[in-house]
Amino acid sequence: MTLINVLILISSLSFLGYGITYFTSPQMKNEFKRFRLEKVGALTAVLELLGAVGLLFGQPRRVAGVGLFVLTNAVTPAHIYMLQVPELFPSIPVWTHWLRLPIQVALLALIACGTLAAGQRARRSRPPPGAV
């Protein structure tokens, strides 16, 4: 297994874990309800599950990677907000707010490296147009 495949697998498992956790954890659903974002929570979880599965297959990998990259960037303001006002989130230890940002940067790098490298490798393996 190549390093790129390991990076893709780690990214996929991360999003798969979050997507499943949303549907199995009442605490996570309650956080979305608390801010009247329950529909956004379910949509986010579904998109993360679809993206996680898409990363595992050659054809949809690039689209899945771009979608997950955009989705991950879209939630960054919420993570920064939680870091700025941790007293609004008493059930979450403050140190996790600090840890979340570098983990998110690492996840973005995993997505970008994995999907871009896989896309370049796929292009190189295709025969040139008109070749028999």
Side-chain angles (χ1 to χ4, degrees):
M1 184 176 273
T2 66
L3 177 61
I4 296 302
N5 288 338
V6 170
L7 296 176
I8 291 169
L9 183 61
I10 291 169
S11 298
S12 179
L13 290 174
S14 297
F15 285 104
L16 191 63
Y18 176 84
I20 291 170
T21 302
Y22 175 82
F23 292 109
T24 59
S25 168
Q27 182 180 0
M28 191 177 289
K29 284 184 180 180
N30 288 338
E31 287 300 316
F32 280 94
K33 286 179 185 176
R34 180 174 154 189
F35 293 99
R36 297 185 191 130
L37 296 172
E38 52 269 4
K39 289 181 184 175
V40 174
L43 176 63
T44 300
V46 168
L47 291 174
E48 287 183 334
L49 289 170
L50 290 172
V53 172
L55 286 178
L56 299 176
F57 300 100
Q59 286 293 90
R61 182 172 292 146
R62 179 161 274 219
V63 172
V66 169
L68 290 172
F69 193 88
V70 169
L71 189 61
T72 302
N73 276 307
V75 299
T76 300
H79 294 174
I80 293 170
Y81 176 73
M82 292 174 78
L83 182 61
Q84 291 173 331
V85 287
E87 62 275 5
L88 295 179
F89 308 94
S91 64
I92 304 171
V94 174
W95 65 268
T96 63
H97 300 306
W98 286 102
L99 184 62
R100 184 178 288 172
L101 291 177
I103 288 174
Q104 191 159 344
V105 169
L107 188 59
L108 287 167
L110 283 172
I111 296 166
C113 291
T115 57
L116 291 176
Q120 289 171 352
R121 193 173 61 224
R123 278 196 302 278
R124 283 194 304 261
S125 67
R126 286 189 207 133
V132 178

